[in-house]
Amino acid sequence: MLPDAPAPESEALPQLQPVPAAKTLACPSCGGGVTVRAAGYSVTVVCQYCASVLDVSDPIVKLITENHRAAREIAIPLGTRGTLRGVEWETIGYLARSENGTYGWEEFLLFNPYHGYRWLIYNRGGWSLGETRTEWPTWQFGELSIDGAGYKPFFANGSAQVDYVAGEFYWRVTAGETVSTDDWVRPGFMLSREANAHEVSWTVSELLSPREIRSGFGVASNPAPWPPLPHQPSPHGAWLSIGWKVALAALVFLIGVSIVFGGSSTLVEQTLEIPRDGREASATIGPITLYRPYQKVEIKADVPGLSNGWVDLDYSLVNRATQQSYDAYGAAEQYSGVDSDGRWSEGSGANNVSVASVPAGTYDVVVEYKGNRWTGASEPSTFSDSGENSWVGGSTAVTIRVSQGALFFSNFLIALILIVIPLIWVFFRHVHFEQARQAESDFAPTGLGALGDDDEDDD
């Protein structure tokens, strides 16, 4: 449960006013020079040479804890100034902390006399800017909420200890000090709770981009730590969000194109008599005029009276201006008979062929056609090899219909696949990222991180 007691006033952040210039004093333990950069606000200073803790709250410096440890080299030396979010900060304190000696991280205390204190936190290659909050978060729909943003639980019942300390602080801090911790996250932000026997503090930290921390303090960061940091946003999430919108727009565009160009319009239709004696015949249909730069031309042949035979159909679209020819072949077929299983039938006597990407122009449609008899037929055929009429019923005419405008469904399908495949690939990478990030949590994965997760017992 979230504590409902008011925030303690002890060790609260001091009310800030413009500060005097930094002053230097001698360490009572080792004699080294110690610079107090936030004089008047800092309560303790840790000597950077011997790690002794000094009380600087009074004009007379007091030695609280005497140590003789060698100074540690830190990434951002104390006294370094840098600009983050348009504010110039100075590093005045440094903490090396860990989870009981493991899972270590570093914290730099930043100070500006007009903006107060901030924490610059380094963890596994990533840098975050933290601010200790005076207001407490509230519970809303199973999450903690502060500043109108919700945070999901990530770490619970942790323990953070101070392994090394240097510089000055607004409270008394020593190596070995421990607090209990809990953390909640949302993309790019972490809400941390630290508590000991005397107080509870809340800090909101925001992940900094590699460019921002490099520009501000000249230090490098790992742009892609693995496993991901608890509050690290998925690098695929933004792309995926935009990608779905682009894909939806492309899908609407494709549907629109299909509606506009998908419907076929008849250009010419003509019925031709087919010789029954097997002779080849030829006819010219048209002319037809195509106006689009390129289009699909569809030719449909229909022989409704065809029986036990087929009709060979050779088409040529001949451009009247250039004599360029676009050729296609089709065959209308129909067979039937009786066998041990009873009567059977195959084919419909109709055939469709398509000629893709025909340029604009005026064309004659030349059709060469020939009727053929199925010699193995057990029933009468439409056509006779001898020229005699062995056809029973129906018609020996073929109707040729030429139309334009219909798009190939395969083209639409290919375009759709090319749009969807990158989205699916990025989606699975996004899921993999979320699963790896949430695997570090003390809580069961949720959302995309729970995909494929099986919590059922084997009993």
Side-chain angles (χ1 to χ4, degrees), residues 273-311:
E273 191 70 22
I274 305 174
R276 297 189 183 183
D277 58 3
R279 288 181 295 110
E280 184 175 309
S282 178
T284 300
I285 303 174
I288 62 173
T289 301
L290 307 177
Y291 296 99
R292 300 170 189 161
Y294 292 94
Q295 54 259 291
K296 167 189 168 184
V297 176
E298 188 175 75
I299 305 174
K300 180 178 181 180
D302 187 19
V303 189
L306 185 61
S307 174
N308 285 320
W310 72 95
V311 179

Side-chain angles (χ1 to χ4, degrees), residues 187 226 228 232-242 244 422-439 446-451:
W226 197 263
Q232 183 179 347
S234 169
H236 315 293
W239 192 98
L240 196 61
S241 177
I242 296 174
W244 284 118
L423 286 175
I424 294 176
W425 181 71
V426 174
F427 173 76
F428 279 107
R429 293 197 65 183
H430 178 58
V431 170
H432 177 59
F433 179 94
E434 281 299 305
Q435 289 175 335
R437 184 184 68 83
Q438 295 189 35
T446 60
L448 294 178
L451 289 180

Side-chain angles (χ1 to χ4, degrees), residues 104-168:
W105 68 94
E106 300 174 72
E107 300 179 2
F108 296 82
L109 182 60
L110 308 181
F111 178 73
N112 178 287
Y114 299 99
H115 296 272
Y117 296 93
R118 298 292 187 273
W119 288 102
L120 189 57
I121 307 161
Y122 177 78
N123 182 19
R124 290 199 294 113
W127 293 86
S128 300
L129 183 63
E131 179 181 5
T132 301
R133 308 302 295 267
T134 55
E135 72 274 25
W136 286 24
T138 57
W139 284 107
Q140 289 187 0
F141 309 107
E143 298 180 346
L144 281 183
S145 177
I146 191 169
D147 296 334
Y151 292 77
K152 297 181 181 296
F154 201 87
F155 291 132
N157 303 321
S159 177
Q161 71 179 31
V162 176
D163 297 324
Y164 181 86
V165 57
E168 55 192 281

Side-chain angles (χ1 to χ4, degrees), residues 273-278 305 307 373 380-396:
E273 191 70 22
I274 305 174
R276 297 189 183 183
D277 58 3
S307 174
R373 175 177 178 270
S381 172
T382 302
F383 306 107
S384 171
D385 291 335
S386 63
E388 299 178 356
N389 186 0
S390 60
W391 168 72
V392 179
S395 170
T396 55

Side-chain angles (χ1 to χ4, degrees), residues 139-391:
W139 284 107
Q140 289 187 0
F141 309 107
E143 298 180 346
L144 281 183
S145 177
I146 191 169
D147 296 334
Y151 292 77
K152 297 181 181 296
F154 201 87
F155 291 132
N157 303 321
S159 177
Q161 71 179 31
V162 176
D163 297 324
Y164 181 86
V165 57
E168 55 192 281
F169 300 88
Y170 53 84
W171 83 99
R172 299 183 188 276
V173 57
T174 59
E177 178 182 296
T178 62
V179 294
S180 61
T181 62
D182 301 280
D183 298 284
W184 294 258
V185 299
R186 69 182 181 93
F189 294 84
M190 175 178 283
L191 174 62
S192 301
R193 175 185 182 272
E194 295 188 359
N196 57 23
H198 307 289
E199 68 168 345
V200 175
S201 65
W202 295 89
T203 301
V204 175
S205 55
E206 180 179 359
L207 192 64
L208 300 175
S209 68
R211 173 184 291 183
E212 191 169 12
I213 187 63
R214 183 172 59 251
S215 173
F217 281 92
V219 291
S221 65
N222 183 357
W226 197 263
L229 299 174
H231 56 318
Q232 183 179 347
S234 169
H236 315 293
W239 192 98
L240 196 61
S241 177
I242 296 174
W244 284 118
K245 295 175 183 177
V246 172
L248 182 60
L251 180 60
V252 171
F253 174 76
L254 288 176
I255 293 175
V257 169
S258 299
I259 293 175
V260 173
F261 299 103
S264 61
S265 58
T266 300
L267 300 173
V268 66
E269 182 176 332
Q270 188 169 329
T271 301
L272 308 173
E273 191 70 22
I274 305 174
R276 297 189 183 183
D277 58 3
R279 288 181 295 110
E280 184 175 309
S282 178
T284 300
I285 303 174
I288 62 173
T289 301
L290 307 177
Y291 296 99
R292 300 170 189 161
Y294 292 94
Q295 54 259 291
K296 167 189 168 184
V297 176
E298 188 175 75
I299 305 174
K300 180 178 181 180
D302 187 19
V303 189
L306 185 61
S307 174
N308 285 320
W310 72 95
V311 179
D312 289 316
L313 297 159
D314 289 290
Y315 304 104
S316 296
L317 299 176
V318 182
N319 190 300
R320 286 191 169 187
T322 65
Q323 294 303 302
Q324 176 71 40
S325 177
Y326 299 86
D327 303 324
Y329 169 79
E333 304 171 279
Q334 199 285 328
Y335 310 98
S336 62
V338 179
D339 58 17
S340 59
D341 295 326
R343 175 168 292 279
W344 59 270
S345 178
E346 179 181 327
S348 64
N351 174 256
N352 290 341
V353 298
S354 297
V355 183
S357 301
V358 181
T362 300
Y363 293 82
D364 290 317
V365 182
V366 179
V367 184
E368 295 179 352
Y369 52 101
K370 177 179 179 295
N372 301 274
R373 175 177 178 270
W374 180 33
T375 57
S378 59
E379 295 183 344
S381 172
T382 302
F383 306 107
S384 171
D385 291 335
S386 63
E388 299 178 356
N389 186 0
S390 60
W391 168 72

